[in-house]
């Protein structure tokens, strides 16, 4: 099993509903976020292009944050989901520095936090909160090892990219372009 | 003029001495019924609601844990407005309930040591006060001098009260300040309005044309979802906007038009479609009236003619017209929603309607469907007294084509003048922050100063509350029952809102306030139900449902009684003078207006000024959400979008704070951050509406960003229906605040 997500940048409108739903689902404190929206504009008026995309932890296959964690709090569970065990985390921040995507933040309660792919919902067979709420249905989630999963299908049929592939982290979030 | 009504800040009030109730689990609903289906796993409960964060009214569920804490608000899968997915504002709705800045108790204006202040009052005191005043003002001037200005569900109950009292001057700013011109224009053309939610069949369209309408930034939920579905299915989008909007970035054609020239583009499109013979001949022949007049009218309005006006290249105008024609009849030239721009808005909307008629999209799959709603009777009440006058008497012979009351018209009619036969003395303002929704704030304040009674019903200490004589704290939509939602859609469907929690503080629902006032005014027979559950249950039973059923379902969908689209070759009588789709409007001609739209040039920005364009951000609904902690997290202030060329000219840096000064010398009260971006034309600036609050009691929203409303002092009134065109205002940058900052 390999959980992954695809973000259709052709459909995302940058509304941040995914962020709001994540905050509520995961009790993310105000002023912090596990996910965020990026707006990239290229060209000059009126020859412009813009990409909107919702970003979060890439649940990298080759995760530097896990490798550098001195306590083992950052770890990988079933399906390749990268998690932080709050009790074990000493808040040293090594992982924050090592992550090329700036996907982690220091929780005010002293540990490091980030996107969990809503692992608590996923193991019940539900979609992550962001996927379930997205009004444009531009987020796809599922098992890459299962060719019938939504995410496998869109990745097979569409062009896509990953972020900072040169970092060698092997990200598992795919941006459909 | 004596400023009788000083602005009072609602600071530090409402906390002492009064009971603050805790959000108890379904405390209200429990009194009625609590069935199994509302129990979720893990001891969570769910209560049906429809969202009140914007007018889209998505139906959904409020999920609460054992302690009654609202954990989530999610869409109802059965609901056509939301398809089970709320937009960010709806998802964040609990922030309205938990907002500690809410209005907490009734307040009455009083004088203490020469200074006007609010004092806390009990409900009895406040309602007695309002009823006594309404009566004595009515005796003096006639009950017709009472007006209701409303936005939101509670308006229905206050409307019943005001009508029973003898006035029919009831206005929503969503008409003359927003979608009115489009409703009138479509009525003139097709004999029916566009309605809300819009009858646009975006889901199945092949080509969606957006004219200044920024779907995706305005999260009209169902429409945004359908736009996404349409893109998925390969539909093309054509966007006309001086700003590179989100929709523009998803478009096959983006037409970066010179602002205020849209009508010229529309006429050129009509010209191309007629001269190339790309229109739907059968449809035009069978259903429309006045094609030959139209053909003659537009014959010189070529793309080359439009180029000089719009700055859009002729070949782009032709290509985009071709794109529409190739997709016809599955094409939507979208009428937009907020369309009060330049004062000739009904005419621009007429051109949109005409274009749709030529393409044969009205009544067709992928164009405009025929919506249907459910017939729900109102709770029986005696007939309303016939008012002897209403707001229209203030404008003899004018606005005959306006189907709804003009909020700005009520405002104007409140300022006495010899020419106006109707002056209002009492306003009840429900859920609308008039100072931000009506243009020309000073005029609104002048009108308020003429009132003998201003009652404000709201959940939050919005600016308008500071001018009230009496403030009545309404509970949020999560704490109350409301009218049954019955909006036209593909399938007729109803939805209910039930209280998920007991009203916090000493707030009350609108229906309760209206009924209590009716009691005091001797109008009880208009509210003869014992409690709201009884009334709703009765209404629901008339259509074969019940409150009990709706508690577990939230939404109920009914069978259609007529087809969703026109049938092939079907004869159809339109509700127009000619019974046809009027390309040439006979009603407009009768009223002395151009029966075919004529382009007129609008004023351009003076040297050194930029046209002020305002719009929406997906995470906010005007000022309604600007204090919601879940949304200030996403966006806490607006910024002014400036083209890099303009920024260079003024030496502006990104995120630098500037003040904006308009053509009339009005300076924004607060500074606003500059956002330098290629996404805006060099002759315009853009800002999101609803920020720059000046009431300190809105602790998160106070002073965040600037208010476009205060800069809109010049209004171009639509002669056809009284809409207030607001896009003819120009601003420049200033590096210091206004000299003698006038604090209102
Ligand atoms: S909710 Fe969907 S459309 Fe909105 S920003 Fe997130 S991913 Fe994009
Ligand atoms: S995105 Fe960052 S935090 Fe997430 S797995 Fe990769 S390196 Fe670790
Ligand atoms: S569109 Fe959003 S804010 Fe409006 S009613 Fe629907 S969920 Fe609520």
């Amino acid at each position: 099993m390999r959980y992954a997500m695809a973000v259709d940048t052709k459909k995302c409108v940058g509304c941040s509903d995914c962020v709001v739903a994540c905050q509520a689902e995961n009790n993310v404190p105000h002023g912090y976020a596990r996910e965020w929206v990026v707006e990239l504009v290229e060209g000059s008026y009126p020859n412009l292009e813009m990409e909107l995309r919702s970003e979060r932890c890439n649940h990298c296959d080759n995760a530097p944050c896990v490798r550098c964690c001195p306590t083992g709090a950052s770890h990988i569970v079933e399906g390749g989901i990268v998690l932080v065990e709050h009790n074990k985390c000493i808040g040293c921040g090594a992982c924050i520095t090592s992550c090329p995507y700036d996907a982690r933040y220091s929780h005010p309660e002293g540990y490091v936090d980030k996107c969990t792919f809503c692992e608590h919902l996923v193991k019940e067979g539900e979609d992550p909160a962001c996927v379930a709420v997205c009004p444009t249905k531009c987020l796809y989630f599922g098992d890459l090892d299962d060719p019938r999963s939504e995410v496998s299908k869109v990745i097979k049929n569409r062009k896509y990219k990953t972020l900072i592939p040169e970092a060698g982290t092997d990200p598992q979030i795919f941006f459909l372009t | 003029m004596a400023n009788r009504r000083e602005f009072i800040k609602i600071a530090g009030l409402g906390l002492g001495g009064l009971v603050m109730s805790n959000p108890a689990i379904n405390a209200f609903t429990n009194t009625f019924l609590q069935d199994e289906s509302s129990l979720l796993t893990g001891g969570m409960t769910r209560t049906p609601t429809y969202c009140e964060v914007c007018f889209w009214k998505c139906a959904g569920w409020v999920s609460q844990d054992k302690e009654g804490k609202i954990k989530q608000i999610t869409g109802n899968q059965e609901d056509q407005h939301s398809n089970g997915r709320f937009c960010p504002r709806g998802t964040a709705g609990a922030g309205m309930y938990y907002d500690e800045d809410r209005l907490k108790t009734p307040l009455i204006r009083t004088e203490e040591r020469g200074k006007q202040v609010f004092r806390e009052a009990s409900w009895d005191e406040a309602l007695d006060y309002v009823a006594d005043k309404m009566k004595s003002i009515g005796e003096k001037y006639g009950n017709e001098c009472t007006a209701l200005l409303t936005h939101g569900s509670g308006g229905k109950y206050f409307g019943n009260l005001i009508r029973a009292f003898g006035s029919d001057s009831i206005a929503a700013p969503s008409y003359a300040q927003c979608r009115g011109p489009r409703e009138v224009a479509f009525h003139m053309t097709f004999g029916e309005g566009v309605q809300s939610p819009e009858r646009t069949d975006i889901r199945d369209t092949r080509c969606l044309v957006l004219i200044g309408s920024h779907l995706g930034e305005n999260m009209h939920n169902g429409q945004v979802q359908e736009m996404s579905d349409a893109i998925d299915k390969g539909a093309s989008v054509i966007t006309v906007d001086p700003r590179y909007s989100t929709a523009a970035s998803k478009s096959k054609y983006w037409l970066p038009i010179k602002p205020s020239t849209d009508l010229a583009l529309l006429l050129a499109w009509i010209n191309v479609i007629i001269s190339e013979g790309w229109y739907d001949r059968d449809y035009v022949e069978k259903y429309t009236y006045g094609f030959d007049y139209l053909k003659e009218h537009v014959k010189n309005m070529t793309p080359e003619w439009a180029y000089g006006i719009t700055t859009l290249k002729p070949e782009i105008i032709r290509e985009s017209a071709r794109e529409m024609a190739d997709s016809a009849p599955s094409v939507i030239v979208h009428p937009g929603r907020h369309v009060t721009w330049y004062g000739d808005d009904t005419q621009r909307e007429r051109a949109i309607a005409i274009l749709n008629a030529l393409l044969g999209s009205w009544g067709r799959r992928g164009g405009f469907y025929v919506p249907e709603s459910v017939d729900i009777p109102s709770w029986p009440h005696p007939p309303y007294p016939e008012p002897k006058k209403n707001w229209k008497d203030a404008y003899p012979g004018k606005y005959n084509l306006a189907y709804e009351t003009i909020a700005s018209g009520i405002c104007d009619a409140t300022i006495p003048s010899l020419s106006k036969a109707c002056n209002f003395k009492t306003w009840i303002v429900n859920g609308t922050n008039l100072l931000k929704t009506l243009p020309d704030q000073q005029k609104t304040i002048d009108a308020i100063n003429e009132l003998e009674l201003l009652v404000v019903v709201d959940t939050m200490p919005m600016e308008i509350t500071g001018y009230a004589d009496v403030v009545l704290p309404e509970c949020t939509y999560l704490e109350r029952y409301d009218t049954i939602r019955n909006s036209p859609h593909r399938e007729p469907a109803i939805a209910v809102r039930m209280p998920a929690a007991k009203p916090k503080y000493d707030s009350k629902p609108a229906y309760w306030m209206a009924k209590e006032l009716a009691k005091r005014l001797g109008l009880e027979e208009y509210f003869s139900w014992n409690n709201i559950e009884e009334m709703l249950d009765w209404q629901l039973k008339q259509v074969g449902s019940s409150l009990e059923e709706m508690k577990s379902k939230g939404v109920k969908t009914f069978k259609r009684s007529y087809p969703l689209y026109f049938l092939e070759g079907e004869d159809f009588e339109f509700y127009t003078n000619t019974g046809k789709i009027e390309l040439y409007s006979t009603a407009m001609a009768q009223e002395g207006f151009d029966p075919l739209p004529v382009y007129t040039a609008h004023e351009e920005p003076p040297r050194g000024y930029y046209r002020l364009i305002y719009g929406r951000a997906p995470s906010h609904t005007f000022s309604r959400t600007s204090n919601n902690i879940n949304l200030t997290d996403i966006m806490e202030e607006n910024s002014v979008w400036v083209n890099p060329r303009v920024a260079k000219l003024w030496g502006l840096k990104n995120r630098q704070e500037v003040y904006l000064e308009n053509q009339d010398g009005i300076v924004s009260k607060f500074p606003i951050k500059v956002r330098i971006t290629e996404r805006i034309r060099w002759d315009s600036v853009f800002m999101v509406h609803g920020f720059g609050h000046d009431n300190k009691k809105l602790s998160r929203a106070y002073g965040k960003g600037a208010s476009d409303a205060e800069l809109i002092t010049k209004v171009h009134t639509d002669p056809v229906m009284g809409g207030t065109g607001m896009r003819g205002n120009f601003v420049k940058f200033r590096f210091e605040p206004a000299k003698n900052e006038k604090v209102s």
Side-chain angles (χ1 to χ4, degrees), chain B residues 538-553:
Chain B
W538 178 85
Q539 281 191 300
L540 289 164
K541 288 201 166 118
Q542 307 310 304
V543 297
S545 181
S546 66
L547 203 49
E548 186 175 351
E549 181 188 40
M550 291 307 285
K551 175 157 177 62
S552 61
K553 289 177 106 164

Side-chain angles (χ1 to χ4, degrees), chain B residues 19 110 128 145 158 176 208 294 312 330 380 420 471 489 502 582 584 590 608 657 662 679 705 710:
Chain B
V19 199
T110 157
D128 286 348
C145 292
F158 283 109
L208 174 64
L294 176 67
L312 299 171
S330 293
K420 291 183 182 136
V471 178
H489 219 289
K502 212 164 103 177
E582 295 201 351
Y584 175 100
Q590 271 161 16
E657 290 197 332
N662 80 355
R679 292 178 61 195
E710 63 186 4

Side-chain angles (χ1 to χ4, degrees), chain B residues 93-140:
Chain B
M96 282 167 85
Y97 167 72
Y98 287 112
D99 199 318
E100 68 286 358
D101 294 340
R102 280 172 58 172
L103 293 168
K104 299 183 176 79
T105 76
L107 302 170
I108 298 178
R109 176 180 295 264
T110 157
E111 198 152 302
E112 255 174 39
R113 278 162 266 127
K115 202 172 171 299
Q116 296 189 1
V117 290
F118 279 130
R119 68 176 174 83
E120 292 174 26
S122 69
W123 276 99
D124 271 336
E125 256 182 299
L127 295 168
D128 286 348
Y129 182 98
V130 172
D132 289 347
K133 273 274 193 154
M134 279 175 75
K135 272 193 251 174
S136 63
I137 295 169
E139 275 155 24
K140 213 152 114 200

Side-chain angles (χ1 to χ4, degrees), chain A residues 120-136:
Chain A
H120 61 291
L121 297 176
V122 169
K123 70 180 181 213
E124 303 294 328
E126 289 179 49
D127 273 335
C130 53
V131 177
V133 82
C134 172
T136 66

Side-chain angles (χ1 to χ4, degrees), chain A residues 56-60 63-65 82 98-101 103-104 114 169:
Chain A
R56 56 192 58 59
C57 166
N58 283 286
H59 296 276
C60 307
C65 57
V82 177
S98 78
C99 169
Y101 309 98
R104 297 175 164 238
K114 66 165 198 71
T169 55

Side-chain angles (χ1 to χ4, degrees), chain A residues 12 17 25 39 45 134 136, chain B residues 72 85-86 250 675 681:
Chain A
C12 175
D17 203 0
E25 179 64 41
E39 170 192 317
Y45 197 98
C134 172
T136 66
Chain B
Q72 255 175 0
R85 289 161 186 256
F86 269 17
K250 315 248 176 244
R675 176 188 178 189
R681 248 178 97 105

Side-chain angles (χ1 to χ4, degrees), chain A residues 16 18-19 33-38 53-58 99 101-104 115 163:
Chain A
S16 299
C18 45
V19 183
R34 285 182 173 190
E35 52 182 322
W36 58 93
V37 173
V38 169
R53 59 177 193 239
S54 149
E55 289 185 15
R56 56 192 58 59
C57 166
N58 283 286
C99 169
Y101 309 98
D102 206 11
R104 297 175 164 238
C115 161
L163 299 180

